[in-house]
Amino acid sequence: MLRKTLSVLALVGAALADGSLGRGFGEKYNWFTLTEGLVAAKESGKPIMLVQHKSWCGMCKRFGPEFASSEAILKKSEEFVMVNCMDDDIGCESSEYKPDGGYIPRILFLSADGKVNNDIKTPGGNPKYQYFYSSPDQVIRGMDEALTVFKGADEL
């Protein structure tokens, strides 16, 4: 009985570890870890959208389902390498990804070569928390701005 229980737990753990990068922000998205996303962006030439959140954060738990259910964000996500950083994921706690503090949730946009663009801030957001997105509409406007900035840079 114990062996059977352990086998079931191992299978459940493997299923959760495989393909569960949505972590409350949507399983329909093509999520990458930070390390994988940096490589994928260089290979594809797409900019990175870096979503940072914590498992214990109340605002993250509220915003995640709104983000996950937005068909507009999902469609526009095809133009980005989507990186989902939660808790202590490798590399995500670097000061590079906290340009104005460690609050969460936070969304940053990076060029295809992995450089954070600190000029792409939450449209209509709080100047104290410049990368704090709290609505799908803000995210879409931020994505639009990022695409304009990064496509413009490619044309130079």
Side-chain angles (χ1 to χ4, degrees):
M1 179 69 175
L2 179 60
R3 183 178 290 166
K4 191 174 195 176
T5 301
L6 290 174
S7 295
V8 169
L9 288 175
L11 287 172
V12 168
L16 289 174
D18 181 35
S20 63
L21 285 175
R23 300 184 279 194
F25 278 75
E27 295 301 326
K28 293 179 184 177
Y29 293 85
N30 186 23
W31 292 112
F32 290 86
T33 65
L34 179 59
T35 304
E36 294 167 341
L38 290 169
V39 171
K42 280 186 181 176
E43 290 175 355
S44 69
K46 292 181 180 181
I48 295 170
M49 180 172 162
L50 174 65
V51 178
Q52 297 171 290
H53 58 105
K54 303 285 185 186
S55 57
W56 49 262
C57 167
M59 181 59 193
C60 302
K61 290 178 183 178
R62 184 193 69 73
F63 182 54
E66 290 180 37
F67 184 104
S69 65
S70 171
E71 290 298 322
I73 295 174
L74 180 62
K75 176 140 182 64
K76 201 162 290 289
S77 75
E78 295 170 7
E79 300 183 59
F80 291 87
V81 171
M82 300 293 288
V83 173
N84 188 331
C85 283
M86 187 172 86
D87 295 330
D88 298 322
D89 286 352
I90 296 171
C92 295
E93 289 299 312
S94 168
S95 61
E96 175 182 8
Y97 305 120
K98 299 177 184 179
D100 66 341
Y103 57 86
I104 44 169
R106 187 170 60 250
I107 296 176
L108 300 173
F109 293 95
L110 290 68
S111 63
D113 61 358
K115 291 185 176 84
V116 175
N117 185 314
N118 292 326
D119 294 329
I120 304 170
K121 299 173 179 151
T122 308
N126 184 332
K128 287 186 174 182
Y129 307 105
Q130 299 178 58
Y131 308 97
F132 176 83
Y133 290 74
S134 61
S135 73
D137 181 59
Q138 284 181 325
V139 174
I140 292 163
R141 289 187 294 156
M143 293 171 94
D144 286 340
E145 181 180 352
L147 290 171
T148 298
V149 166
F150 293 125
K151 285 185 179 179
D154 289 344
E155 293 171 5
L156 296 177

